[in-house]
Amino acid sequence: MHQNKMYTIQILRGIAALSVVFSHSSHKLAQTKLFTSDFFSFAGFGVDIFFMISGFIMMFITGVDAKDNKNRNILSFFKDRIIRIIPLYWFFTILSLAIFCIMPGSINSSGGDTGILQSFILLPVPNGTKFLIQNGWTLTYEFLFYFAFSFFLVRTDREKLIFVLLTFLAIDVSSSFFGLQSFASYSIKYEFILGIGLYLFFKKDYLYAVLAFLLAYSIAFFNTGLGGRVLNEGLHAFILVLMFLVVENKFSWKGPVSLFLLFLGDISFSLYLSHPFVIQGISILNSHLSLNVYVVFVLMVLCSIIFGYLIYTLLEKKMVSFFKNKKLKKVTV
């Protein structure tokens, strides 16, 4: 099942998804006063792992030695990204919209303005607008990166690093010059540069890998200081991804823990999008049952994984297959 995948990248996807579930479950329990503190708040670094993996994978699938060079065509590149992400995301966005119409207070209960159109097009404008699926904000940065990266698909690995970095810098400079603060000026986007650097490290281009690391962290420090996300959660994520890449070929990855994390890697996107619904549902149910807080936490995590697997099997795989086949039929007509 994983013969065409890097084991460590798939395992990291599993770790990232599980970390986000831990973080959000802990946050919900702290929000409802069942936990005295947000115990697993540190596990939010799963998002940072996802961003670095994205930088790595985009380099991996568009490199000159990639098995399939279709990803070096800008239209094919975007079609594949859209097919992979948008159908399932829109499914949950429509589900959230239905809930929002019936029970507005159950969506983005922590406050803020919820943008319906913005949720579908993944643009949080005006700045601070929340999506119907709150963790959809990460997909905004994914597509920002895809957009910047897509202009340089046929460039060399080193050129991709330099040009994407310059594109991000141009966004920052223009935002500062015009006094605009938007999602695009958030320094977290430089974690994709770290992912590109990790790919160069994996390919043994150590000079440009170190250059990527130094530039990304220097820019993040200049923008946010030591308190910024890239130099905190991002640093933890970077060290973890680097450690796994170093040992990619050292283990068989056939043990039960590895197989479980590989399984989580497979369902990671479904798990990531669906788990807030499970956590909210169990929280509402527990308001009537008053179960032990640790039992509730375990239920949130286990039920999220089970539901994520069902969504992956019954929806995500079928959606991706349907739209890929539809694309092929259109090409052959």
Side-chain angles (χ1 to χ4, degrees), residues 68 70-71 76 79-81 83-84 87 317-331:
D68 189 349
K70 70 173 183 176
N71 287 301
S76 295
K79 282 180 181 178
D80 284 349
R81 306 286 80 72
I83 287 171
R84 175 75 178 86
K317 287 175 69 175
K318 295 183 186 301
M319 284 178 167
V320 171
S321 177
F322 172 79
F323 285 108
K324 280 190 174 180
N325 290 335
K326 196 173 182 66
K327 179 184 68 172
L328 290 174
K329 287 178 182 177
K330 288 179 69 175
V331 171

Side-chain angles (χ1 to χ4, degrees), residues 217-243:
Y217 278 115
S218 296
I219 295 167
F221 175 74
F222 178 80
N223 287 343
T224 63
L226 289 175
R229 178 165 186 149
V230 180
L231 281 91
N232 288 277
E233 291 95 331
L235 184 58
H236 303 152
F238 171 77
I239 293 170
L240 183 65
V241 176
L242 180 62
M243 288 171 56

Side-chain angles (χ1 to χ4, degrees), residues 13 33 49 114 121 137 193 244 259:
R13 280 193 176 119
K33 311 301 182 186
I49 295 174
T114 300
I121 63 176
W137 70 270
I193 300 297
F244 269 83
L259 291 175

Side-chain angles (χ1 to χ4, degrees), residues 112-127:
D113 295 324
T114 300
I116 294 174
L117 176 61
Q118 295 94 325
S119 297
F120 283 95
I121 63 176
L122 288 169
L123 279 176
V125 289
N127 195 35

